[in-house]
Amino acid sequence: MHLPHSSFITFAVFVVTVASAPAKDCVYKVKESIAPPRGWSQHSEPAPDHNIVLRIGLPQPNFHVLEQHLYEVSDPDHERYGQHLSKEQVEELVAPHPDSVTAVHEWLASHGIKEDHVTHSAAKDWVTVKVPVSLVEKMLDTKYHVWKHGSSGDYMVRTTSYSLPGDLLEHVDVIQPTTMFGRFQPAKSTIVWDDTSVVSSETVDTRLGSIVDPVSGVTVDASCNTTITVTCLKELYNAVGFVPSAKENTIGITGYLQEFANKQDLQSFFADQVPAAVNSTFDFISVNGGLNNQTLSQSGAEAGLDVQFAFGISHPIPATFYSTAGMPPFIPDVGTPADTNEPYTAWLDFVLSHPNPPHAISTSYGDDEQTVPESFARRVCQGFAQLGARGVSLMFSSGDGGVGDGDPDPATQQCFTNDGRNVTRFIPGFPASCPFVTAVGGTTNVPEVAVSRFFSGGGFSNFFARPAYQEKAVSKYLAALPNGTFEGLFNPAGRAFPDVAAQSDKFRIFLSGRPVLIGGTSASSPAFTGFVALLNDVRLKANKPPLGFLNPLLYTKGVAGLNDITIGHNAGCGTEGFNATVGWDPVTGLGTPNFGKLSEIVKTW
């Protein structure tokens, strides 16, 4: 089969049959309703002029066609492997039906919202308007409140239910921010600092001898058991001496929550670990008003970790850092109205609107899956699928809480459902649970074991079914579990994660001018992404397209290029969590990369 031409896709888009328009039903009907989420309480009412950036997702009637293309071009055994779709082809496949566009615009106009106040995503599948909460309440027949999170003190302007006119229900998939109470933190919770995080010496002591890794056979400096550097990772993952040189290769990092990637810190890091990269830097791109504060004292630990290791490993591949504004802290007693929006979709809209996004992108942020409305999670996940179909590899940290909260003590664990029942259940993370991204778990030490100072996020989605590409590997793991293991605590039919893993603790970075050690799967994802960028270099030099969506390759041909991690577990929710074992497991996935082996594999297909 040849790569589909525009005419084929256009035909596919309009095979959807639209029935004759019925008489309009203007009676409001509930679109979505949730129980008040655990840990949140109503605090007050927002000011009537508090602005909300309302995002309306229109149905994508042919997403299943896009999904088919995604799997075909990502499957190394398929004849179309690597034949990624263009921006325009993807947009045609996810475009809403014209009737949906018309219906939503008529509804907005009925509330006095003019066309020039409405913006659309490139595919017209998202409609965005900025309106005061008093008007949103009328549009959605609901009441918003300022909600306060008990343990963190965070505030959000949200509702627990909203409605739409009956005739509009079929034309809208999701509207946010309404019922989403996700707190959107780096690596699900926070960066995990080493107890001795401030490093007194200016250089790493490499006089400790060497270790031979029994799994991969590579030789690694013994200092890597106390401090992880770019050199450590290249030794451990068998990439010593490889220098990328392909044209048109690219790598990207996403940044949120006013995490600033400081260029002076980057230069200090390069001088310390990658001297050849000194005086090189990254392109900064602001999304939705994202800031670029270069004051050294305002340097972000998450952003610094991400750019220093991803770009240090992949140097000199051209690099981009996206700073996305969104979800600012809302202080109820401040008079100036503040926007309330969702940064994932702002970044997705932006990057999908550009013809040439980076080939490999890492994100170290996420939420508990249950704090994200399923309708919203599915639409965000479908956005990631669009990037995969276009040849972009997306990596996400799997989280630092093991199977939920990282607490093995049944008396103190906090893994309770958010549906009003408050029953104990494992808590998967999102977007790691999305089947169209590559979730990266955490390891430590040489020889490698699952990280234990915190716990590698892993488990099974409650939203997404297990995709075919991981059916064999995950079924084998589940079949080996003793009968009744964690029965009722997880969804054995769900998408399983992580997919892979990488070192995640004691990373030496520069923060506000000084070296520190830092950890978390926030480190694993950018590190793994650096090696994906190197693999793309191998393919591009062989006149092959970039890897794109990795998982169908990783679970088949790619397994031979991964180091299986068989020791460790990921405690949480009052349990010891799952165990690492031979083959795939929900702690370290399929394992960590062996670049030398993977480079031979990706040149073949």
Side-chain angles (χ1 to χ4, degrees):
M1 182 187 294
H2 296 293
L3 180 69
H5 297 293
S6 179
S7 59
F8 168 78
I9 294 180
T10 302
F11 172 77
V13 169
F14 289 103
V15 296
V16 177
T17 302
V18 181
S20 300
K24 282 199 172 186
D25 178 5
C26 296
V27 177
Y28 271 75
K29 298 178 180 178
V30 175
K31 176 66 176 176
E32 187 168 45
S33 181
I34 65 168
R38 181 181 174 85
W40 291 89
S41 60
Q42 285 187 14
H43 175 274
S44 58
E45 294 187 5
D49 58 351
H50 172 79
N51 283 325
I52 289 181
V53 178
L54 202 65
R55 297 180 52 80
I56 306 161
L58 280 59
Q60 301 168 334
N62 288 285
F63 177 77
H64 65 287
V65 181
L66 173 76
E67 187 176 13
Q68 178 183 347
H69 288 307
L70 170 66
Y71 282 127
E72 288 180 358
V73 302
S74 306
D75 179 358
D77 288 324
H78 199 280
E79 62 182 349
R80 290 182 59 210
Y81 181 62
Q83 298 177 34
H84 302 120
L85 305 188
S86 69
K87 172 180 178 290
E88 292 74 21
Q89 289 169 328
V90 167
E91 287 170 359
E92 285 191 74
L93 283 170
V94 299
H97 194 280
D99 286 358
S100 295
V101 177
T102 299
V104 169
H105 278 260
E106 289 179 350
W107 172 63
L108 293 174
S110 73
H111 288 279
I113 300 173
K114 299 179 179 179
E115 182 73 25
D116 57 358
H117 292 164
V118 178
T119 58
H120 301 86
S121 60
K124 299 188 184 302
D125 56 331
W126 283 98
V127 173
T128 304
V129 292
K130 182 177 180 179
V131 286
V133 68
S134 56
L135 179 55
V136 177
E137 290 176 338
K138 294 177 182 177
M139 295 168 63
L140 303 182
D141 190 28
T142 189
K143 177 63 181 174
Y144 278 77
H145 289 89
V146 177
W147 291 76
K148 183 177 181 180
H149 190 253
S151 60
S152 69
D154 289 350
Y155 293 93
M156 286 185 182
V157 178
R158 294 291 189 269
T159 183
T160 56
S161 176
Y162 69 95
S163 301
L164 291 171
D167 65 298
L168 195 63
L169 288 174
E170 66 177 324
H171 298 296
V172 173
D173 266 352
V174 60
I175 299 179
Q176 290 293 345
T178 50
T179 57
M180 180 171 173
F181 284 79
R183 293 176 52 234
F184 195 67
Q185 298 292 320
K188 180 175 159 300
S189 54
T190 60
I191 290 242
V192 180
W193 292 84
D194 189 271
D195 293 335
T196 56
S197 60
V198 178
V199 183
S200 58
S201 63
E202 289 301 315
T203 58
V204 177
D205 187 352
T206 59
R207 299 171 296 175
L208 301 177
S210 59
I211 304 171
V212 176
D213 186 277
V215 176
S216 64
V218 299
T219 300
V220 182
D221 194 280
S223 65
C224 300
N225 265 326
T226 57
T227 304
I228 291 293
T229 64
V230 168
T231 298
C232 287
L233 294 175
K234 287 194 171 184
E235 288 178 352
L236 183 59
Y237 298 143
N238 196 17
V240 174
F242 181 83
V243 179
S245 59
K247 296 180 180 179
E248 299 183 358
N249 198 3
T250 47
I251 183 172
I253 293 290
T254 64
Y256 300 93
L257 304 178
Q258 297 190 35
E259 276 277 333
F260 304 122
N262 186 273
K263 295 187 176 182
Q264 183 177 335
D265 276 343
L266 181 65
Q267 293 306 311
S268 297
F269 176 84
F270 283 161
D272 183 62
Q273 298 189 31
V274 194
V278 171
N279 295 325
S280 68
T281 189
F282 54 84
D283 289 334
F284 172 86
I285 295 181
S286 172
V287 180
N288 198 34
L291 302 177
N292 184 23
N293 186 339
Q294 288 297 309
T295 304
L296 191 61
S297 63
Q298 298 300 307
S299 177
E302 177 63 64
L305 170 63
D306 288 352
V307 302
Q308 289 171 31
F309 271 88
F311 302 162
I313 291 167
S314 61
H315 175 77
I317 295 171
T320 298
F321 178 74
Y322 296 94
S323 176
T324 303
M327 200 172 285
F330 175 70
I331 310 300
D333 56 358
V334 173
T336 303
D339 290 343
T340 305
N341 51 26
E342 313 301 344
Y344 275 140
T345 46
W347 179 79
L348 272 170
D349 279 357
F350 180 89
V351 75
L352 285 169
S353 71
H354 284 253
N356 298 302
H359 298 320
I361 301 175
S362 176
T363 300
S364 295
Y365 297 76
D367 293 305
D368 290 341
E369 187 185 68
Q370 68 171 358
T371 68
V372 182
E374 183 173 350
S375 58
F376 182 74
R378 289 189 177 280
R379 282 304 297 262
V380 170
C381 191
Q382 289 171 202
F384 297 144
Q386 294 175 52
L387 285 172
R390 289 174 54 180
V392 178
S393 302
L394 293 172
M395 275 58 66
F396 280 83
S397 301
S398 71
D400 303 330
V403 294
D405 63 354
D407 184 357
D409 187 345
T412 56
Q413 65 88 16
Q414 293 293 312
C415 296
F416 301 105
T417 58
N418 231 11
D419 56 5
R421 296 181 301 145
N422 290 331
V423 298
T424 298
R425 192 171 172 90
F426 291 170
I427 302 177
F430 178 82
S433 65
C434 169
F436 306 129
V437 307
T438 300
V440 187
T443 64
T444 190
N445 296 340
V446 183
E448 285 187 280
V449 297
V451 67
S452 58
R453 195 168 61 84
F454 48 91
F455 295 104
S456 178
F460 299 81
S461 173
N462 291 315
F463 291 168
F464 302 101
R466 181 157 60 251
Y469 63 73
Q470 63 172 191
E471 179 62 40
K472 181 179 179 180
V474 176
S475 293
K476 181 179 179 181
Y477 176 85
L478 291 171
L481 286 179
N483 287 339
T485 301
F486 304 140
E487 187 173 355
L489 293 178
F490 73 99
N491 172 25
R495 184 280 205 256
F497 71 100
D499 302 296
V500 291
Q503 286 278 319
S504 61
D505 203 9
K506 299 177 182 178
F507 276 51
R508 177 182 168 93
I509 70 165
F510 277 75
L511 180 64
S512 299
R514 59 180 184 169
V516 300
L517 298 182
I518 201 168
T521 54
S522 286
S524 310
S525 184
F528 189 88
T529 302
F531 289 99
V532 173
L534 299 185
L535 292 171
N536 276 332
D537 189 86
V538 171
R539 283 184 60 83
L540 291 168
K541 282 190 288 195
N543 295 315
K544 296 178 182 293
L547 288 165
F549 177 42
L550 294 172
N551 294 4
L553 169 68
L554 292 173
Y555 282 86
T556 53
K557 313 295 184 184
V559 172
L562 297 169
N563 309 313
D564 193 9
I565 310 303
T566 60
I567 298 174
H569 61 99
N570 61 349
C573 306
T575 75
E576 290 300 305
F578 296 107
N579 288 324
T581 189
V582 174
W584 180 90
D585 56 70
V587 186
T588 59
L590 297 165
T592 60
N594 184 318
F595 174 78
K597 291 182 178 180
L598 286 170
S599 63
E600 293 301 315
I601 292 170
V602 301
K603 282 192 293 189
T604 305
W605 303 95

